[in-house]
Amino acid sequence: MLKDITLGQYYRTESPLHRLDPRVKIVATFAFIISLFLVKNFIGYLIAGLFLLICIRLSNVPVRFIFRGMKAIFFLLILTMVFNLFLTPGIVVFSFWKLQITKEGIKLALMMGIRLVFLITGSSLMTLTTTPNNLTDGLEKLLGPLKKIRVPVHEISMMMSIALRFIPILMEETDKIMKAQMARCADFESGSVINRAKNLIPLLVPLFISAFRRANDLAMAMEARCYRGGDGRTKMKPLIYQKRDFIAYLCILLYVVMVVVIGRLPV
Amino acid sequence: MAILLNHVNYIYDEDTAMANAALIDVSLKIPDGQFIGIIGHTGSGKSTLIQHMNGLIAPSSGQIFFNNEDICDRDYNKKNLRARVGLVFQYPEHQLFETDCFKDVCFGPKNLGLSQKDAELRAYTALKQVGLEDEYFYQSPFDLSGGQKRRVAIAGVLAMNPEVLILDEPTAGLDPKGREEILGLISELHRKTGITIILVSHSMEDVADYVERIIVMNRGRVTFDGEPKEVFSHYKELEEMGLAAPQVTYCMQELREAGFDVDTSVTTLLEAKNEILKAFMKC
Amino acid sequence: MSKMIQTDKLVFEYIRRDEEGNVEGITRAVDEVDLSVEPGQFIAILGHNGSGKSTLAKHFNALLYPTEGEVHVDGMLTEDEEHLWDIRQEAGMIFQNPDNQIIGQVVEEDVGFGPENMGVPTEEIWERVDESLRAVRMDKYRKASPNHLSGGQKQRVSIAGVIAMHPKCIIMDEPTAMLDPNGRREVIRAARGLNQVEGITIILITHYMEEVVDADKVFVMDRGRVVMEGTPRGIFKRVDELKALRLGVPQVTLLAHELRQAGLPIPDPILTRKELIDALKKLRAEGYML
């Protein structure tokens, strides 16, 4: 169900990771993701895994909660692994009917699997430890220099944070509309693809109308509260780097260097 | 016996840490033709309860029977059930989607597999039943007033010819006159067609004037179930639940305390007026 | 001292268009309204759905501008571009749907939104957030997500968000229409508290008569016009007129009205249960019989 998606959800608790400046966490997440694609051997993944594990420990988020997010991508994960397993040419170790499993296939499937799991875990760790508002603030600040080339950074980040606020509301609303139409014997589950798409109209029309109404209301409410864009705006929670943030940057640098050096050694 | 709930429990997010009991050991008998009010504040489980009655939510444990058939049975025809136990949700905006009212009301009957002609016939009858003027039939439902939208939404369910009609907060957001009109309409439907009606509300005054039986929900349990007079005699307990009895009930209680010889089980304005007048005639 | 809000022959018209965008006609939503509100008053504007009361309210915050006539907020003309932000700061606005006016994803961040827009220094924002949340008794929930609050609590957060802008006046546009009785009580209590303790002018727009019993002055609107104006007591005397305007009357007032028509000499109007009981007791003490 929709509730299972932990990606993008915030987990409220106290931890060193929660206290870090969002900019650090955004940079770290990107560094981590890039590092995953640079790694060539399993030792590299071991280091990445260790780094991730330490971060999870530091985050105070229950492991169970983090992995619940996996459920949503489980299918994708299996699919990727299966494709890699069967479709990689190389030395055949096992063959069955028309299918062949190669040594390279096993290796690639494992690597892809690990990469995907790490990628999702790493990025959900960022969202789990950072409030969406903080996240958008961090992005706004990081992308600040782009304002000079007329990129509407403030507007983009405001849009993102509003979108994040309304996602749960609209999801709940979708559920309600679905039930209201099901009470009129609407069928969302069976039929051909075309029919199913057609059957979504009774769901989408009320949803869009409601979303537009909400947008209209919200715009008015923001205007009434003196919103006039990013200029001259102060911050309730301005982002200021602390000592711990510099330490964190240092750790990330150290990790990246290690992974790139060790992880790219030929095996 | 139209609907029977036997020790029904429902737990939200059952297998997670956020498990939350929404219904606890609910047993109810709802015979044909009754006009029932279900009352409870937000989060009392009343919405969850009614969604069990037409199979939108399956109970965590317990059984639900409709006309002596177990609706939780795998082979039970849910579509058929939803046509026979009609449920109108709180906001008409959640169901209106067609370009005109008439087409919107046809949606339900068409889903039942009726021919275009039969569906239209049903829609026409339903719209007449809810008292929507002809001039609005071919207008967009989005251009209507709150009260009219509500009527079209009710017609959309009525067009499936249900035996039981459940309405979740049908008066929310309407002005006093609009509330009175919708409640009057529902009451008239009950009188004319004999359909079973279950009215969900958080306003005691709304339901007291119309229903013959009140079910009070609190924290997932059925706390009181009986005639309005009987239920409102527990006005002190109701207050603790954050539900107030009708103003007149309090008036009569206070008059009794002040030494007036009045019947305290009064629930409607008319009854209260007669009681007070009587007290001034005999003393 | 200037009036908090003053309208002078305020007219607002909008053009109705059909699906192709052709002009169908002109609707006069507000029709020559003259109204004035003194600082510190608790004002109620009553009217059924579609009576023009919300359209009128949006003029007090410069969200809409009059087609004809003028609106002054604290002596400032709303159409005066240079005062726009002063007006929006001085006259805060609460809307009907609590979900559609909360911008922050954490209660305290939402309350800080207004002051941030005004350019208030960071430390002062925190002070303002603290005091505003305390004023509506929501300080316990400051770190909570608005999605987990009840309707009444959300609406109180919205009120805190407006108080943090230090307004002189708060306009509440049907703040209770979507709430259950408990939520309604919470919001009205908060509004009354702000009026009495902080001296903030409150303009409450509603169709629930019970909520206006304590107001200093009530305006009743119908078809864009102010059709009644006076104290709650004066207004509630006119039960039949109110009914004709699609408005309900509190059950006690109605009961007293019915008893009076049946011949009992009860003073007019009765607003609370206590008044009714006292009146009946007095009648009995006098030995009154039908």
Side-chain angles (χ1 to χ4, degrees), chain A residues 58-87:
Chain A
L58 282 175
S59 74
N60 274 350
V61 180
V63 179
R64 215 163 35 103
F65 199 85
I66 296 173
F67 285 100
R68 227 177 54 201
M70 285 297 151
K71 259 200 251 172
I73 62 139
F74 189 70
F75 181 69
L76 187 72
L77 183 71
I78 295 294
L79 201 75
T80 323
M81 287 183 71
V82 166
F83 267 111
N84 278 302
L85 197 60
F86 290 112
L87 298 179

Short mmCIF file of all heavy atoms in Angstrom, two decimals, chain A residues 58-87:
data_model
loop_
_atom_site.label_atom_id
_atom_site.label_comp_id
_atom_site.label_asym_id
_atom_site.label_seq_id
_atom_site.Cartn_x
_atom_site.Cartn_y
_atom_site.Cartn_z
N LEU A 58 24.33 5.95 13.63
CA LEU A 58 24.35 7.34 14.10
C LEU A 58 22.97 8.01 13.98
O LEU A 58 22.72 9.02 14.61
CB LEU A 58 25.37 8.15 13.30
CG LEU A 58 26.83 7.96 13.69
CD1 LEU A 58 27.71 8.74 12.71
CD2 LEU A 58 27.09 8.43 15.11
N SER A 59 22.10 7.45 13.14
CA SER A 59 20.84 8.14 12.86
C SER A 59 19.75 7.85 13.88
O SER A 59 18.75 8.54 13.95
CB SER A 59 20.32 7.75 11.48
OG SER A 59 19.82 6.43 11.53
N ASN A 60 19.94 6.79 14.68
CA ASN A 60 18.92 6.39 15.66
C ASN A 60 17.59 5.99 15.03
O ASN A 60 16.58 5.94 15.71
CB ASN A 60 18.63 7.51 16.67
CG ASN A 60 19.61 7.47 17.83
OD1 ASN A 60 20.37 6.51 17.96
ND2 ASN A 60 19.60 8.49 18.65
N VAL A 61 17.59 5.75 13.73
CA VAL A 61 16.37 5.29 13.08
C VAL A 61 16.38 3.76 13.14
O VAL A 61 17.38 3.15 12.79
CB VAL A 61 16.30 5.75 11.61
CG1 VAL A 61 15.02 5.26 10.95
CG2 VAL A 61 16.40 7.26 11.52
N PRO A 62 15.29 3.14 13.61
CA PRO A 62 15.29 1.68 13.68
C PRO A 62 15.52 1.06 12.30
O PRO A 62 14.95 1.51 11.31
CB PRO A 62 13.88 1.33 14.17
CG PRO A 62 13.28 2.60 14.64
CD PRO A 62 14.04 3.73 14.06
N VAL A 63 16.38 0.06 12.27
CA VAL A 63 16.74 -0.58 11.00
C VAL A 63 15.48 -1.09 10.29
O VAL A 63 15.33 -0.98 9.09
CB VAL A 63 17.72 -1.74 11.25
CG1 VAL A 63 18.07 -2.43 9.95
CG2 VAL A 63 18.97 -1.20 11.93
N ARG A 64 14.55 -1.63 11.09
CA ARG A 64 13.32 -2.17 10.56
C ARG A 64 12.59 -1.12 9.71
O ARG A 64 12.07 -1.38 8.65
CB ARG A 64 12.41 -2.56 11.73
CG ARG A 64 11.55 -3.78 11.51
CD ARG A 64 11.05 -4.27 12.86
NE ARG A 64 10.78 -3.15 13.77
CZ ARG A 64 9.56 -2.69 14.03
NH1 ARG A 64 8.52 -3.24 13.48
NH2 ARG A 64 9.40 -1.69 14.88
N PHE A 65 12.61 0.09 10.25
CA PHE A 65 11.90 1.19 9.59
C PHE A 65 12.55 1.52 8.25
O PHE A 65 11.87 1.76 7.26
CB PHE A 65 11.93 2.42 10.50
CG PHE A 65 10.89 3.43 10.16
CD1 PHE A 65 9.60 3.30 10.66
CD2 PHE A 65 11.19 4.51 9.34
CE1 PHE A 65 8.64 4.23 10.34
CE2 PHE A 65 10.22 5.44 9.02
CZ PHE A 65 8.95 5.29 9.51
N ILE A 66 13.87 1.51 8.23
CA ILE A 66 14.58 1.83 6.99
C ILE A 66 14.27 0.78 5.93
O ILE A 66 14.01 1.09 4.78
CB ILE A 66 16.10 1.89 7.25
CG1 ILE A 66 16.40 3.04 8.21
CG2 ILE A 66 16.86 2.05 5.94
CD1 ILE A 66 17.83 3.10 8.68
N PHE A 67 14.28 -0.48 6.36
CA PHE A 67 14.11 -1.54 5.36
C PHE A 67 12.66 -1.75 4.95
O PHE A 67 12.41 -2.40 3.96
CB PHE A 67 14.76 -2.83 5.85
CG PHE A 67 16.26 -2.75 5.72
CD1 PHE A 67 17.06 -2.46 6.83
CD2 PHE A 67 16.87 -2.89 4.48
CE1 PHE A 67 18.43 -2.34 6.69
CE2 PHE A 67 18.24 -2.76 4.35
CZ PHE A 67 19.02 -2.49 5.46
N ARG A 68 11.75 -1.16 5.71
CA ARG A 68 10.38 -1.25 5.26
C ARG A 68 10.22 -0.56 3.91
O ARG A 68 9.41 -0.94 3.08
CB ARG A 68 9.44 -0.62 6.28
CG ARG A 68 8.26 -1.55 6.53
CD ARG A 68 7.30 -1.08 7.56
NE ARG A 68 6.82 0.26 7.29
CZ ARG A 68 6.29 1.02 8.24
NH1 ARG A 68 6.21 0.59 9.47
NH2 ARG A 68 5.86 2.22 7.97
N GLY A 69 11.05 0.46 3.69
CA GLY A 69 11.02 1.17 2.42
C GLY A 69 11.41 0.26 1.26
O GLY A 69 11.06 0.51 0.11
N MET A 70 12.16 -0.79 1.57
CA MET A 70 12.60 -1.73 0.55
C MET A 70 11.43 -2.45 -0.11
O MET A 70 11.50 -2.81 -1.27
CB MET A 70 13.52 -2.79 1.18
CG MET A 70 14.89 -2.29 1.49
SD MET A 70 15.73 -1.80 0.00
CE MET A 70 16.79 -0.57 0.65
N LYS A 71 10.41 -2.66 0.69
CA LYS A 71 9.25 -3.41 0.18
C LYS A 71 8.77 -2.83 -1.14
O LYS A 71 8.46 -3.56 -2.07
CB LYS A 71 8.11 -3.35 1.20
CG LYS A 71 7.98 -4.63 2.03
CD LYS A 71 6.60 -4.71 2.64
CE LYS A 71 6.65 -4.48 4.14
NZ LYS A 71 5.35 -4.36 4.77
N ALA A 72 8.74 -1.49 -1.18
CA ALA A 72 8.20 -0.83 -2.36
C ALA A 72 9.06 -1.11 -3.60
O ALA A 72 8.54 -1.18 -4.71
CB ALA A 72 8.11 0.67 -2.10
N ILE A 73 10.38 -1.27 -3.41
CA ILE A 73 11.23 -1.47 -4.58
C ILE A 73 11.64 -2.93 -4.73
O ILE A 73 12.46 -3.27 -5.57
CB ILE A 73 12.49 -0.59 -4.54
CG1 ILE A 73 13.35 -0.94 -3.31
CG2 ILE A 73 12.14 0.88 -4.55
CD1 ILE A 73 14.82 -0.96 -3.62
N PHE A 74 11.08 -3.79 -3.90
CA PHE A 74 11.47 -5.19 -3.90
C PHE A 74 11.35 -5.80 -5.30
O PHE A 74 12.27 -6.46 -5.79
CB PHE A 74 10.60 -5.97 -2.91
CG PHE A 74 11.08 -7.37 -2.68
CD1 PHE A 74 12.25 -7.61 -1.98
CD2 PHE A 74 10.36 -8.45 -3.16
CE1 PHE A 74 12.69 -8.89 -1.77
CE2 PHE A 74 10.81 -9.74 -2.96
CZ PHE A 74 11.97 -9.97 -2.26
N PHE A 75 10.24 -5.53 -5.94
CA PHE A 75 9.99 -6.08 -7.26
C PHE A 75 11.06 -5.62 -8.26
O PHE A 75 11.63 -6.42 -9.00
CB PHE A 75 8.60 -5.63 -7.72
CG PHE A 75 8.21 -6.16 -9.06
CD1 PHE A 75 7.96 -7.52 -9.23
CD2 PHE A 75 8.09 -5.31 -10.13
CE1 PHE A 75 7.60 -8.01 -10.48
CE2 PHE A 75 7.74 -5.79 -11.38
CZ PHE A 75 7.50 -7.14 -11.56
N LEU A 76 11.34 -4.33 -8.22
CA LEU A 76 12.35 -3.74 -9.10
C LEU A 76 13.70 -4.40 -8.87
O LEU A 76 14.45 -4.72 -9.80
CB LEU A 76 12.43 -2.25 -8.80
CG LEU A 76 13.30 -1.41 -9.74
CD1 LEU A 76 12.64 -1.26 -11.08
CD2 LEU A 76 13.58 -0.05 -9.12
N LEU A 77 14.00 -4.61 -7.59
CA LEU A 77 15.27 -5.20 -7.20
C LEU A 77 15.40 -6.60 -7.79
O LEU A 77 16.40 -6.94 -8.43
CB LEU A 77 15.33 -5.26 -5.67
CG LEU A 77 16.62 -5.78 -5.05
CD1 LEU A 77 17.73 -4.77 -5.24
CD2 LEU A 77 16.42 -6.06 -3.57
N ILE A 78 14.37 -7.40 -7.59
CA ILE A 78 14.40 -8.78 -8.08
C ILE A 78 14.52 -8.78 -9.60
O ILE A 78 15.32 -9.52 -10.17
CB ILE A 78 13.10 -9.51 -7.65
CG1 ILE A 78 13.04 -9.64 -6.12
CG2 ILE A 78 12.99 -10.88 -8.31
CD1 ILE A 78 14.12 -10.53 -5.54
N LEU A 79 13.76 -7.91 -10.24
CA LEU A 79 13.77 -7.84 -11.70
C LEU A 79 15.17 -7.52 -12.21
O LEU A 79 15.69 -8.19 -13.12
CB LEU A 79 12.78 -6.76 -12.14
CG LEU A 79 12.29 -6.88 -13.57
CD1 LEU A 79 11.27 -8.01 -13.67
CD2 LEU A 79 11.66 -5.58 -14.03
N THR A 80 15.79 -6.51 -11.63
CA THR A 80 17.13 -6.13 -12.05
C THR A 80 18.10 -7.29 -11.89
O THR A 80 18.90 -7.59 -12.77
CB THR A 80 17.65 -4.96 -11.17
OG1 THR A 80 16.57 -4.10 -10.90
CG2 THR A 80 18.77 -4.23 -11.84
N MET A 81 17.98 -7.94 -10.72
CA MET A 81 18.91 -9.03 -10.44
C MET A 81 18.69 -10.19 -11.41
O MET A 81 19.65 -10.75 -11.93
CB MET A 81 18.77 -9.49 -8.99
CG MET A 81 19.38 -8.47 -8.03
SD MET A 81 19.34 -8.97 -6.30
CE MET A 81 20.53 -10.28 -6.28
N VAL A 82 17.45 -10.52 -11.65
CA VAL A 82 17.15 -11.65 -12.55
C VAL A 82 17.66 -11.36 -13.96
O VAL A 82 18.30 -12.21 -14.58
CB VAL A 82 15.63 -11.94 -12.55
CG1 VAL A 82 15.26 -12.85 -13.71
CG2 VAL A 82 15.23 -12.57 -11.22
N PHE A 83 17.41 -10.15 -14.44
CA PHE A 83 17.87 -9.80 -15.78
C PHE A 83 19.38 -9.96 -15.88
O PHE A 83 19.90 -10.55 -16.82
CB PHE A 83 17.47 -8.36 -16.13
CG PHE A 83 16.17 -8.30 -16.85
CD1 PHE A 83 15.04 -7.76 -16.25
CD2 PHE A 83 16.08 -8.79 -18.15
CE1 PHE A 83 13.83 -7.73 -16.92
CE2 PHE A 83 14.87 -8.76 -18.83
CZ PHE A 83 13.74 -8.23 -18.21
N ASN A 84 20.07 -9.41 -14.89
CA ASN A 84 21.52 -9.47 -14.91
C ASN A 84 22.02 -10.90 -14.82
O ASN A 84 22.99 -11.29 -15.44
CB ASN A 84 22.10 -8.64 -13.78
CG ASN A 84 22.18 -7.19 -14.17
OD1 ASN A 84 22.81 -6.83 -15.15
ND2 ASN A 84 21.47 -6.34 -13.43
N LEU A 85 21.29 -11.67 -14.01
CA LEU A 85 21.70 -13.05 -13.76
C LEU A 85 21.65 -13.87 -15.05
O LEU A 85 22.55 -14.62 -15.35
CB LEU A 85 20.75 -13.65 -12.71
CG LEU A 85 21.21 -14.92 -12.01
CD1 LEU A 85 22.50 -14.69 -11.27
CD2 LEU A 85 20.13 -15.39 -11.05
N PHE A 86 20.61 -13.70 -15.81
CA PHE A 86 20.40 -14.57 -16.97
C PHE A 86 20.94 -13.99 -18.26
O PHE A 86 21.20 -14.71 -19.21
CB PHE A 86 18.91 -14.87 -17.14
CG PHE A 86 18.37 -15.77 -16.06
CD1 PHE A 86 17.46 -15.31 -15.13
CD2 PHE A 86 18.81 -17.09 -15.99
CE1 PHE A 86 16.98 -16.13 -14.14
CE2 PHE A 86 18.33 -17.92 -15.00
CZ PHE A 86 17.41 -17.45 -14.07
N LEU A 87 21.09 -12.71 -18.35
CA LEU A 87 21.37 -12.12 -19.65
C LEU A 87 22.82 -11.69 -19.82
O LEU A 87 23.16 -11.04 -20.81
CB LEU A 87 20.43 -10.93 -19.89
CG LEU A 87 18.94 -11.31 -19.93
CD1 LEU A 87 18.09 -10.08 -20.15
CD2 LEU A 87 18.67 -12.35 -21.01
#
